[in-house]
Amino acid sequence: HDFPNVTLVGALLADMSLHSGDYRAAERTFQLLTQAGGRAGRGSKKGEFIIQTYDPEHYAIRFSAAQDYTGFYEEELAYRKLASYPPVSHILTVQFYSRSETAGGVRAQTMADLIKEEIRRGAFGKYLSVIGPAPAMIAKVNDIYRTGLHFRCEDEEMLIKVKDLIEEQQGRNRREGTFSDKEDVIIQFDLDPVGGF
Protein backbone atom coordinates (compact mmCIF):
# COMPACT_ATOMS: atom_id res chain seq x y z
CA HIS A 1 0.00 0.00 0.00
CA ASP A 2 1.21 3.47 -0.80
CA PHE A 3 0.40 6.13 1.79
CA PRO A 4 2.11 9.30 0.51
CA ASN A 5 1.41 11.43 3.60
CA VAL A 6 2.73 8.93 6.15
CA THR A 7 6.00 10.26 7.49
CA LEU A 8 6.30 8.29 10.73
CA VAL A 9 5.83 4.55 11.32
CA GLY A 10 6.41 2.87 14.67
CA ALA A 11 6.67 -0.83 15.50
CA LEU A 12 5.95 -1.55 19.16
CA LEU A 13 7.24 -4.72 20.80
CA ALA A 14 8.84 -5.61 17.49
CA ASP A 15 10.66 -8.60 18.98
CA MET A 16 7.58 -10.44 20.27
CA SER A 17 7.29 -12.50 17.10
CA LEU A 18 10.90 -13.63 17.50
CA HIS A 19 9.90 -15.97 20.34
CA SER A 20 7.14 -17.96 18.67
CA GLY A 21 8.98 -21.29 18.71
CA ASP A 22 9.13 -21.45 14.91
CA TYR A 23 12.47 -21.56 13.11
CA ARG A 24 11.09 -18.98 10.64
CA ALA A 25 10.40 -16.44 13.40
CA ALA A 26 13.35 -14.20 12.47
CA GLU A 27 12.40 -14.30 8.80
CA ARG A 28 8.80 -13.32 9.54
CA THR A 29 9.89 -10.56 11.91
CA PHE A 30 12.28 -9.18 9.30
CA GLN A 31 9.55 -9.28 6.62
CA LEU A 32 6.99 -7.49 8.80
CA LEU A 33 9.40 -4.82 9.96
CA THR A 34 10.83 -4.06 6.53
CA GLN A 35 7.30 -3.83 5.10
CA ALA A 36 6.15 -1.57 7.92
CA GLY A 37 9.25 0.61 7.64
CA GLY A 38 8.73 0.91 3.90
CA ARG A 39 5.40 2.69 4.48
CA ALA A 40 7.09 5.83 5.85
CA GLY A 41 8.25 8.51 3.45
CA ARG A 42 7.02 6.97 0.21
CA GLY A 43 5.88 10.30 -1.20
CA SER A 44 7.88 13.48 -1.57
CA LYS A 45 8.12 13.89 2.22
CA LYS A 46 10.92 12.25 4.17
CA GLY A 47 9.92 9.37 6.45
CA GLU A 48 11.04 7.96 9.77
CA PHE A 49 10.71 4.42 11.14
CA ILE A 50 10.96 3.77 14.88
CA ILE A 51 11.38 0.25 16.25
CA GLN A 52 10.67 -0.38 19.95
CA THR A 53 12.28 -3.65 21.05
CA TYR A 54 13.69 -5.47 24.07
CA ASP A 55 16.20 -7.23 21.82
CA PRO A 56 17.84 -4.50 19.69
CA GLU A 57 20.90 -6.64 18.93
CA HIS A 58 18.95 -9.47 17.29
CA TYR A 59 19.97 -9.68 13.65
CA ALA A 60 16.35 -9.56 12.38
CA ILE A 61 15.85 -6.23 14.18
CA ARG A 62 19.21 -4.77 13.14
CA PHE A 63 18.91 -5.72 9.47
CA SER A 64 15.28 -4.61 9.18
CA ALA A 65 16.14 -1.22 10.70
CA ALA A 66 18.89 -0.87 8.08
CA GLN A 67 16.66 -2.33 5.32
CA ASP A 68 19.60 -4.69 4.64
CA TYR A 69 18.12 -7.67 2.78
CA THR A 70 21.46 -9.23 1.83
CA GLY A 71 22.82 -9.02 5.36
CA PHE A 72 19.71 -10.65 6.77
CA TYR A 73 19.76 -13.40 4.13
CA GLU A 74 23.38 -14.30 4.85
CA GLU A 75 22.86 -14.35 8.63
CA GLU A 76 19.63 -16.35 8.42
CA LEU A 77 21.11 -18.88 6.00
CA ALA A 78 24.11 -19.40 8.30
CA TYR A 79 21.68 -20.05 11.18
CA ARG A 80 19.64 -22.49 9.07
CA LYS A 81 22.79 -24.38 8.08
CA LEU A 82 23.97 -24.56 11.69
CA ALA A 83 20.59 -25.83 12.93
CA SER A 84 19.90 -27.96 9.83
CA TYR A 85 16.60 -26.29 8.99
CA PRO A 86 15.10 -25.79 5.51
CA PRO A 87 16.29 -25.08 2.91
CA VAL A 88 19.38 -26.99 4.11
CA SER A 89 17.29 -29.98 5.19
CA HIS A 90 13.64 -31.03 5.17
CA ILE A 91 11.08 -31.34 7.96
CA LEU A 92 8.14 -33.71 8.20
CA THR A 93 5.50 -32.58 10.69
CA VAL A 94 3.06 -35.21 11.88
CA GLN A 95 -0.04 -33.98 13.75
CA PHE A 96 -2.11 -36.34 15.88
CA TYR A 97 -5.74 -35.31 16.53
CA SER A 98 -7.95 -36.98 19.13
CA ARG A 99 -10.99 -36.33 21.30
CA SER A 100 -9.16 -38.06 24.14
CA GLU A 101 -6.70 -35.86 26.00
CA THR A 102 -4.09 -38.63 26.21
CA ALA A 103 -4.72 -40.82 23.13
CA GLY A 104 -3.02 -38.51 20.62
CA GLY A 105 0.07 -38.12 22.79
CA VAL A 106 0.27 -41.86 23.40
CA ARG A 107 -0.05 -42.60 19.68
CA ALA A 108 2.56 -39.96 18.83
CA GLN A 109 4.97 -41.49 21.35
CA THR A 110 4.30 -44.96 19.92
CA MET A 111 5.12 -43.72 16.42
CA ALA A 112 8.22 -41.86 17.65
CA ASP A 113 9.44 -45.05 19.35
CA LEU A 114 8.76 -47.04 16.16
CA ILE A 115 10.87 -44.66 14.07
CA LYS A 116 13.64 -44.52 16.68
CA GLU A 117 13.81 -48.31 16.63
CA GLU A 118 14.07 -48.23 12.83
CA ILE A 119 16.87 -45.67 13.12
CA ARG A 120 18.73 -47.99 15.52
CA ARG A 121 18.25 -50.86 13.06
CA GLY A 122 19.79 -48.73 10.31
CA ALA A 123 16.63 -48.40 8.19
CA PHE A 124 17.46 -44.77 7.43
CA GLY A 125 20.79 -44.45 5.68
CA LYS A 126 21.21 -40.76 6.35
CA TYR A 127 20.93 -38.72 9.51
CA LEU A 128 17.34 -38.45 10.71
CA SER A 129 16.35 -36.63 13.89
CA VAL A 130 13.14 -37.06 15.87
CA ILE A 131 11.72 -34.02 17.66
CA GLY A 132 8.90 -34.58 20.11
CA PRO A 133 6.19 -35.52 20.58
CA ALA A 134 4.81 -32.41 22.24
CA PRO A 135 1.44 -30.66 22.46
CA ALA A 136 0.81 -28.29 19.55
CA MET A 137 1.17 -24.55 20.20
CA ILE A 138 -2.63 -24.47 20.35
CA ALA A 139 -3.15 -27.82 22.06
CA LYS A 140 -6.94 -27.98 21.86
CA VAL A 141 -9.37 -26.71 19.22
CA ASN A 142 -13.11 -27.53 19.18
CA ASP A 143 -12.64 -30.29 21.79
CA ILE A 144 -9.93 -31.93 19.67
CA TYR A 145 -6.50 -32.37 21.27
CA ARG A 146 -3.47 -31.87 19.03
CA THR A 147 0.01 -33.34 19.44
CA GLY A 148 2.94 -32.76 17.10
CA LEU A 149 5.87 -34.94 16.14
CA HIS A 150 8.63 -33.70 13.84
CA PHE A 151 11.32 -35.42 11.80
CA ARG A 152 14.27 -33.66 10.19
CA CYS A 153 16.55 -35.01 7.48
CA GLU A 154 18.51 -33.70 4.49
CA ASP A 155 17.10 -36.50 2.33
CA GLU A 156 13.43 -35.88 1.51
CA GLU A 157 13.02 -39.54 0.49
CA MET A 158 13.84 -40.63 4.05
CA LEU A 159 10.99 -38.47 5.35
CA ILE A 160 8.61 -40.01 2.83
CA LYS A 161 9.76 -43.39 4.12
CA VAL A 162 8.93 -42.24 7.68
CA LYS A 163 5.47 -41.13 6.53
CA ASP A 164 4.85 -44.47 4.82
CA LEU A 165 5.96 -46.39 7.90
CA ILE A 166 3.64 -44.41 10.19
CA GLU A 167 0.72 -44.85 7.78
CA GLU A 168 1.42 -48.58 7.59
CA GLN A 169 1.49 -48.87 11.40
CA GLN A 170 -1.70 -46.80 11.72
CA GLY A 171 -3.45 -49.10 9.22
CA ARG A 172 -2.22 -52.18 11.09
CA ASN A 173 -3.55 -50.74 14.37
CA ARG A 174 -6.98 -50.19 12.78
CA ARG A 175 -7.13 -53.68 11.27
CA GLU A 176 -6.09 -55.34 14.51
CA GLY A 177 -8.41 -53.19 16.63
CA THR A 178 -5.47 -52.22 18.86
CA PHE A 179 -7.21 -49.06 20.01
CA SER A 180 -10.80 -48.46 21.08
CA ASP A 181 -13.10 -46.05 19.20
CA LYS A 182 -12.62 -43.57 22.04
CA GLU A 183 -8.88 -43.63 21.37
CA ASP A 184 -9.28 -43.11 17.62
CA VAL A 185 -6.55 -40.76 16.41
CA ILE A 186 -6.40 -38.96 13.08
CA ILE A 187 -2.91 -38.42 11.71
CA GLN A 188 -1.99 -35.63 9.30
CA PHE A 189 1.37 -35.16 7.53
CA ASP A 190 2.96 -31.95 6.29
CA LEU A 191 6.32 -31.98 4.49
CA ASP A 192 8.27 -28.73 4.90
CA PRO A 193 5.32 -26.97 6.57
CA VAL A 194 4.79 -23.29 5.93
CA GLY A 195 2.59 -22.76 8.99
CA GLY A 196 3.38 -23.15 12.65
CA PHE A 197 5.87 -25.77 13.72
Side-chain angles (χ1 to χ4, degrees):
H1 301 292
D2 187 9
F3 303 109
N5 292 321
V6 173
T7 56
L8 175 65
V9 173
L12 304 178
L13 298 172
D15 49 18
M16 294 304 289
S17 59
L18 289 174
H19 310 292
S20 67
D22 185 353
Y23 71 91
R24 291 170 300 257
E27 178 183 354
R28 289 190 177 134
T29 300
F30 176 80
Q31 287 173 341
L32 287 170
L33 290 176
T34 52
Q35 286 177 7
R39 301 305 107 196
R42 291 177 67 95
S44 58
K45 299 175 184 175
K46 192 174 179 179
E48 188 176 9
F49 180 42
I50 298 172
I51 300 173
Q52 186 269 322
T53 177
Y54 290 106
D55 196 358
E57 295 306 312
H58 192 283
Y59 65 94
I61 305 292
R62 285 188 294 106
F63 288 124
S64 62
Q67 299 281 302
D68 182 355
Y69 298 92
T70 304
F72 176 79
Y73 170 79
E74 290 170 355
E75 185 89 14
E76 181 68 6
L77 191 58
Y79 165 72
R80 301 267 182 107
K81 286 178 181 175
L82 182 67
S84 192
Y85 283 126
V88 177
S89 67
H90 298 280
I91 293 177
L92 173 67
T93 296
V94 186
Q95 292 287 339
F96 297 81
Y97 301 95
S98 176
R99 291 199 178 277
S100 165
E101 187 170 358
T102 57
V106 169
R107 189 75 55 87
Q109 187 61 59
T110 300
M111 296 303 180
D113 292 343
L114 170 73
I115 300 303
K116 287 176 184 176
E117 181 58 33
E118 291 297 313
I119 291 170
R120 281 191 286 276
R121 288 185 42 233
F124 301 100
K126 295 195 176 208
Y127 179 74
L128 172 73
S129 63
V130 182
I131 306 163
M137 285 182 76
I138 302 173
K140 184 180 178 185
V141 176
N142 295 329
D143 292 330
I144 302 291
Y145 293 91
R146 304 162 9 138
T147 303
L149 180 58
H150 310 283
F151 301 93
R152 187 171 51 202
C153 186
E154 289 182 16
D155 187 351
E156 186 177 7
E157 291 302 315
M158 290 296 114
L159 294 176
I160 292 170
K161 189 174 176 181
V162 167
K163 179 192 79 67
D164 293 344
L165 198 56
I166 290 173
E167 285 180 325
E168 181 183 311
Q169 183 63 43
Q170 179 76 345
R172 188 177 305 124
N173 290 341
R174 287 186 191 281
R175 286 190 304 277
E176 295 172 357
T178 307
F179 301 104
S180 69
D181 290 342
K182 185 179 178 184
E183 296 175 313
D184 189 38
V185 176
I186 295 170
I187 300 177
Q188 182 179 15
F189 301 92
D190 194 356
L191 187 61
D192 290 335
V194 175
F197 178 77

